[in-house]
Amino acid sequence: MRQPKQRALIGLALIGLALAILPLVVGAALGNTWVRVLDYALLYIMLALGLNIVVGFAGLLDLGYIAFYAVGAYLYALLASPHFGLHLPAWVILPLGALVAGVFGVLLGAPTLRLRGDYLAIVTLGFGEIIRIFLNNLNAPVNITNGPQGIARIDPISIAGHPLSRPLEIFGYTLSGVTLYYYLFVVLAIGIIFVGIRLQDSRIGRAWVAIREDEIAAKACGIDTRNVKLLAFAMGASFGGVAGGLFAGFQEFVSPESFGLLESIMVLCMVVLGGMGHIPGVILGGLLLTLLPEAFRHGAGPVQQALFGKVLLDPESLRMLLFGVALILVMLYRPAGLWPEARHRRELAEK
Amino acid sequence: MAHSESTGAPLLAVMDLRVNYGGIEAVKGVSFAVEEGEMVCLIGANGAGKTSTLKALARMLPAGGEIHYAGRRIEAAPPHALIGMGLALVPEGRGVFARLSVAENLAMGAYHRRDGEIAADLERVHELLPRLRERARQLAGTLSGGEQQMLAIGRALMGRPRLLLLDEPSMGLAPLMVQKVFEVIRTVAAQGVTILLVEQNARLALDVCNRGYVMESGRITLADTAASLAADPRVRAAYLGE
């Protein structure tokens, strides 16, 4: 009994250590651009974990998920920028963002309770676009969102009076701003992972899975499907709201174009590609779909230069092409995702 | 399980039940009753409205008319509240949770319960359906059709039902498996659970039940004891293939 527990603790300590030195190594070897990429990867992992609750656990296909990210981001932007002259601390705004996004989740969920599958997808897609279009146009008659120009000069997130955007000197060693953000995001991502795991094993988690598998049988088992579905929308949305707030503080700028349909689809791809309903798989999906395109963006030009002596194809368009091919290959050869739940994989193999 | 309120009223009484799908009336005002401890079947051809009737009873479909269950009107009760009153549904097509294990499926049957007797009831279900114990860790989706039907019944029993609504338990099963499923249903009835069975296999249904109702295009056309129905020339001609 003691041995495995000790081993698990040692394993966790090693993972913690690896996560702690990762940005330092990456920063030294590849430069701070890549630490910034890691920061974005962590934000996407948080988003994917939130969407995983809705899509993976409860089986509700949501194509407008990025709207909750937008709600969180704009809430932060409005409450901590010169736009309204408000400068609330992040520790007030982030929980508030979770709450407000959760309320938006319920607002979206309530009219779609009877819908499933494709129909639900279409309605949620519409909802995502409505939010984006509102953000784009709420600059007149009263300027709330500053329209397409977006909101700039947002306050960075500060801890103990130190804005994370500014480098910090510790023991003669300078930690860059992106590294400081990395540490904050890692801690929050771990928190979100922990909440996700606890939810999965909870009574609510079981109810979500039951609804995903068979809604009528779930009702017959005494599950209040309406409330349980709304809870899935609210929980998923609140994860997105937190990630959105972090995004706004990190970028110090938000505009509606960051929250388009493509972003929703990207996050959905992370969930599906990694392994729907399986938290480690979803993390892997988030990581791969942020890191690989980025690596490709930087790598494709030089590689072509070396092979053909000139750049034949624009890396940007090539990136989307390869992305599509990769998706098709995964769906052909690993239909349950790259790292699905062990028993789900078994079931598919037996079919 | 002793039930105190034996006022003489039937456990389930349905009055003028109507179900509409858009403009089409699938159930056109049916009335029937099931007494405590009885085993009653609704038989009829495909599309006669049997499943719609059962779904309306389980509050899965909006319906007009009155449903009295255990001295209460339940036509406005939310569907998830019924199992707490002892009204359990084994849905058409079994409705097992395919990506949960057999044990987890059974546990879901006791989802609404917070008493300490769930383990004892699980033991009872395992005694009745030993195959489920053997396959406890297997995913429900990998079971055979017959085993899934057994699991669906077992899951409903985990909710401690007083009245069990069974929707086409023989559907899609091999003849031998159908026999086994019906044996289980008979045992459940013998243990004191009242049963309302919807079934296309009229011969089998009339064989195990006390009384039966024949449904035809949304109406009840015949109502009698199972033995008399089985002997009725009209039933024999239409549903028993003679």
Side-chain angles (χ1 to χ4, degrees):
Chain A
M1 198 52 211
R2 213 194 157 90
Q3 208 96 25
K5 210 173 183 181
Q6 269 180 346
R7 272 165 95 184
L9 276 180
I10 292 172
L12 279 182
L14 284 179
I15 292 174
L17 192 66
L19 286 175
I21 58 171
L22 181 68
L24 308 178
V25 174
V26 169
L30 300 165
N32 272 339
T33 320
W34 278 94
V35 181
R36 178 175 285 273
V37 171
L38 280 182
D39 292 348
Y40 279 114
L42 286 166
L43 285 179
Y44 275 112
I45 285 173
M46 291 183 218
L47 275 180
L49 286 169
L51 185 61
N52 183 47
I53 291 179
V54 186
V55 178
F57 293 168
L60 304 163
L61 184 50
D62 184 348
L63 281 186
Y65 184 68
I66 211 71
F68 307 123
Y69 190 53
V71 167
Y74 265 86
L75 191 77
Y76 189 103
L78 295 176
L79 295 182
S81 73
H83 183 61
F84 284 150
L86 293 169
H87 296 280
L88 297 183
W91 311 117
V92 174
I93 306 173
L94 290 177
L96 194 64
L99 193 74
V100 172
V103 169
F104 271 84
V106 171
L107 285 181
L108 161 70
T112 62
L113 283 171
R114 286 153 175 252
L115 305 175
R116 285 197 77 89
D118 345 14
Y119 301 101
L120 179 62
I122 291 168
V123 174
T124 51
L125 188 155
F127 178 79
E129 285 299 284
I130 289 171
I131 294 281
R132 189 182 61 81
I133 291 167
F134 261 106
L135 295 176
N136 224 350
N137 293 293
L138 275 183
N139 53 349
V142 185
N143 187 1
I144 300 173
T145 65
N146 209 22
Q149 280 95 43
I151 297 172
R153 290 189 292 137
I154 299 171
D155 302 347
I157 299 172
S158 297
I159 295 179
H162 180 84
L164 296 187
S165 54
R166 227 177 293 149
L168 180 68
E169 271 200 55
I170 291 186
F171 312 124
Y173 193 91
T174 311
L175 293 174
S176 63
V178 282
T179 308
L180 295 176
Y181 270 114
Y182 168 89
Y183 288 129
L184 173 68
F185 291 178
V186 158
V187 168
L188 288 174
I190 289 173
I192 281 181
I193 291 167
F194 182 73
V195 172
I197 291 172
R198 299 294 308 202
L199 277 174
Q200 187 174 21
D201 293 335
S202 70
R203 209 175 138 73
I204 293 293
R206 295 268 170 236
W208 283 335
V209 172
I211 287 178
R212 178 187 76 196
E213 299 291 310
D214 193 304
E215 201 165 333
I216 288 188
K219 276 185 200 164
C221 285
I223 294 169
D224 184 343
T225 54
R226 186 195 59 178
N227 289 356
V228 167
K229 273 185 182 181
L230 286 180
L231 195 61
F233 277 118
M235 291 294 310
S238 64
F239 282 27
V242 171
L246 295 173
F247 171 73
F250 175 54
Q251 274 222 137
E252 298 175 27
F253 169 73
V254 293
S255 78
E257 64 183 42
S258 304
F259 310 106
L261 175 62
L262 199 64
E263 289 295 308
S264 281
I265 290 176
M266 230 17 197
V267 180
L268 185 66
C269 282
M270 291 169 186
V271 175
V272 175
L273 208 75
M276 257 196 272
H278 189 224
I279 290 173
V282 171
I283 296 170
L284 178 71
L287 209 54
L288 285 183
L289 284 195
T290 338
L291 296 187
L292 286 185
E294 214 49 49
F296 196 77
R297 197 209 305 261
H298 292 284
V303 167
Q304 287 188 48
Q305 196 79 42
L307 281 178
F308 312 113
K310 57 180 173 180
V311 178
L312 291 171
L313 289 166
D314 170 32
E316 194 61 29
S317 51
L318 207 55
R319 190 168 71 113
M320 285 321 274
L321 179 76
L322 281 197
F323 184 60
V325 171
L327 271 183
I328 292 171
L329 287 180
V330 167
M331 288 302 112
L332 276 178
Y333 295 105
R334 308 218 29 125
L338 290 172
W339 189 2
E341 230 181 329
R343 48 193 201 165
H344 182 197
R345 186 168 56 223
R346 208 165 59 224
E347 182 198 20
L348 277 173
E350 277 169 26
K351 267 184 187 162
Chain B
M1 287 170 256
H3 300 299
S4 47
E5 84 265 12
S6 48
T7 49
L11 180 60
L12 176 76
V14 178
M15 284 156 211
D16 196 30
L17 188 78
R18 289 166 188 279
V19 178
N20 291 297
Y21 292 101
I24 299 157
E25 207 170 28
V27 179
K28 300 167 182 163
V30 302
S31 303
F32 61 93
V34 180
E35 302 283 342
E36 179 104 55
E38 259 193 320
M39 216 175 156
V40 175
C41 60
L42 282 180
I43 58 173
N46 211 353
K50 310 183 297 290
T51 291
S52 297
T53 304
L54 211 62
K55 275 194 174 159
L57 291 184
R59 300 281 306 114
M60 302 287 174
L61 280 180
E66 292 178 18
I67 308 168
H68 298 256
Y69 167 76
R72 273 195 261 189
R73 297 272 297 263
I74 59 161
E75 63 263 18
H80 60 86
L82 296 180
I83 184 69
M85 305 179 202
L87 181 67
L89 169 74
V90 177
E92 187 184 26
R94 307 183 263 276
V96 297
F97 304 126
R99 276 198 271 160
L100 290 182
S101 69
V102 168
E104 287 167 329
N105 266 273
L106 291 176
M108 288 308 301
Y111 185 84
H112 68 286
R113 291 171 58 183
R114 292 177 186 276
D115 54 83
E117 294 170 43
I118 296 175
D121 282 351
L122 182 63
E123 189 54 38
R124 217 166 301 154
V125 167
H126 277 158
E127 256 162 51
L128 178 70
L129 305 160
R131 190 63 73 86
L132 297 186
R133 194 202 303 268
E134 289 164 32
R135 312 227 152 179
R137 295 173 57 98
Q138 202 171 321
L139 287 190
T142 64
L143 298 178
S144 76
E147 288 166 341
Q148 287 191 10
Q149 186 64 58
M150 303 284 195
L151 176 57
I153 294 172
R155 185 180 62 193
L157 291 179
M158 288 300 292
R160 286 211 164 168
R162 190 171 166 191
L163 172 63
L164 190 59
L165 307 176
L166 285 161
D167 199 349
E168 301 263 11
S170 78
M171 191 161 69
L173 299 185
L176 195 67
M177 209 21 134
V178 173
Q179 294 295 336
K180 281 190 184 162
V181 167
F182 270 80
E183 248 164 63
V184 168
I185 296 172
R186 221 192 289 241
T187 314
V188 170
Q191 288 171 356
V193 179
T194 308
I195 287 178
L196 176 62
L197 170 71
V198 155
E199 190 50 73
Q200 269 194 67
N201 188 333
R203 187 187 303 275
L204 213 53
L206 292 175
D207 201 33
V208 297
C209 288
N210 314 108
R211 289 192 302 116
Y213 294 92
V214 177
M215 278 193 82
E216 227 171 286
S217 26
R219 290 200 173 82
I220 288 179
T221 51
L222 286 170
D224 211 331
T225 63
S228 315
L229 283 178
D232 190 305
R234 285 168 294 178
V235 175
R236 296 181 76 88
Y239 304 109
L240 301 180
E242 287 173 22

